Amino acid sequence: MIYIVLSVICSVTVAVLLKLAKRYQINIIQAVTVNYFTALSLCFLFFKPDVRLLTTAAPWPIYIALAVLLPSIFLVLAASVKKLGIVKTDIAQRLSLFIPILAAYFIFREGFNEYKLIGLAIGFLAIILTFVRKSEKETSSKHWIYPIAVFIGFGIIDILFKQIALYKDLPYTTSLFTVFALAFVVSMAIVIFMVIARKTKLQLVNLACGLILGFFNFGNILFYMKAHKALAENPSTVFAAMNMGVIVLGSLIGIIIFKEKLSKLNYVGIFLALVAVIFITLSQNAIR
């Protein structure tokens, strides 16, 4: 369970760092670029990917789609944390698991059981209650596009990563390294364009933040994979503990440390999000 705890801590730390970015005037795109360079460097160090295995038959369209989506959604994630806080952003990210579940049913024709249907119903109710506002003056309605984009974006990313996992001709770690490398190239291209257009200046503080961000971003992936390896016979336990852990820890940090204000309905939404994860986990066990 120590790997699950470490993965949860790394995941929530990323959200906390993004929350602090405005306070220390961090340029997010620069930090994200360094983040991917750090992640691919650590991926090379820990996983020893063999890039010689890459051929034209590799799923390059998926690699490229992820390379564009990952930095883009990272920027949206940062904006969501900035505008709406850690609590609601983390829940939007974790409940995005419903998108690959729906894709499994409508696209890949996988069967649904009663647990999964109940989990989906509770999950959508949780989303509505978590994001409901106290009043019209509390938050500008245009800000709600960010958690919605986080929800949809991470759901699509999850589907694409699952497609990579199904490609058996390449080790998953080699594909992961390739995606990180391409995401770094895309992010670097954006930074170079912004510097040439004089929309931003390169600053050392962004480098430092990006290194820390990349360390925890990769740590989340590394410990999550180790947790699945250590609990190979109980993947649903890892799935449930990870998602529930992030929701609980993220909510506690957002409420206690950053004083994020939530309504009673928002708290009900958080509780229902946890219940939804439990039912989705039960549905996996039922399939087995």
Side-chain angles (χ1 to χ4, degrees):
M1 289 297 288
I2 185 64
Y3 291 132
I4 296 175
V5 172
L6 290 172
S7 182
V8 168
I9 291 173
C10 287
S11 179
V12 175
T13 300
V14 169
V16 171
L17 289 171
L18 294 175
K19 180 76 172 180
L20 295 172
K22 181 182 179 181
R23 182 181 301 178
Y24 295 100
Q25 297 181 325
I26 302 297
N27 182 289
I28 296 297
I29 184 58
Q30 289 183 36
V32 166
T33 302
V34 179
N35 151 77
Y36 283 119
F37 177 76
T38 305
L40 74 90
S41 299
L42 291 171
C43 187
F44 182 81
L45 180 65
F46 281 91
F47 298 144
K48 301 292 190 297
D50 189 355
V51 294
R52 293 173 298 179
L53 297 175
L54 289 168
T55 65
T56 53
W60 288 103
I62 298 178
Y63 291 161
I64 294 170
L66 283 169
V68 174
L69 272 174
L70 282 173
S72 301
I73 295 301
F74 216 128
L75 295 176
V76 175
L77 182 72
S80 182
V81 170
K82 176 183 175 183
K83 300 295 184 181
L84 292 174
I86 295 174
V87 179
K88 296 179 179 180
T89 301
D90 268 345
I91 291 176
Q93 182 180 349
R94 291 299 142 185
L95 290 184
S96 66
L97 62 93
F98 294 125
I99 291 179
I101 289 174
L102 290 173
Y105 180 76
F106 289 107
I107 299 176
F108 305 111
R109 303 301 178 184
E110 292 182 12
F112 270 28
N113 54 41
E114 62 273 19
Y115 292 115
K116 192 168 287 188
L117 290 171
I118 293 171
L120 286 171
I122 294 174
F124 284 119
L125 180 60
I127 293 169
I128 294 172
L129 295 179
T130 301
F131 299 144
V132 72
R133 293 177 290 167
K134 290 180 180 178
S135 66
E136 292 299 317
K137 295 180 180 180
E138 183 182 311
T139 308
S140 175
S141 58
K142 66 181 180 181
H143 294 158
W144 295 96
I145 189 65
Y146 297 119
I148 292 172
V150 167
F151 175 78
I152 296 173
F154 274 99
I156 294 173
I157 286 170
D158 194 15
I159 293 172
L160 294 177
F161 269 121
K162 279 182 170 58
Q163 291 304 296
I164 288 178
L166 294 174
Y167 186 76
K168 301 301 182 182
D169 293 338
L170 275 176
Y172 183 74
T173 49
T174 299
S175 291
L176 189 64
F177 176 81
T178 305
V179 169
F180 280 152
L182 292 173
F184 169 69
V185 171
V186 171
S187 301
M188 179 60 77
I190 296 173
V191 170
I192 292 173
F193 172 79
M194 293 181 71
V195 170
I196 293 175
R198 296 184 178 180
K199 294 184 178 181
T200 186
K201 292 182 179 179
L202 296 177
Q203 294 178 302
L204 192 60
V205 65
N206 300 319
L207 172 62
C209 182
L211 287 171
I212 299 171
L213 199 62
F215 176 82
F216 284 104
N217 197 17
F218 177 78
N220 174 32
I221 297 170
L222 176 65
F223 293 127
Y224 187 64
M225 292 177 70
K226 283 184 173 292
H228 271 295
K229 187 175 181 180
L231 299 170
E233 296 181 359
N234 297 285
S236 58
T237 300
V238 178
F239 172 87
M242 178 64 190
N243 285 285
M244 292 176 69
V246 170
I247 290 173
V248 171
L249 183 59
S251 297
L252 289 174
I253 290 177
I255 295 166
I256 297 172
I257 297 179
F258 293 103
K259 310 298 181 184
E260 295 179 6
K261 296 181 179 180
L262 301 176
S263 67
K264 291 180 180 179
L265 287 178
N266 294 155
Y267 282 109
V268 173
I270 294 172
F271 173 75
L272 290 179
L274 296 173
V275 174
V277 171
I278 291 173
F279 271 98
I280 294 299
T281 305
L282 290 174
S283 74
Q284 293 180 332
N285 288 331
I287 290 173
R288 289 183 180 83

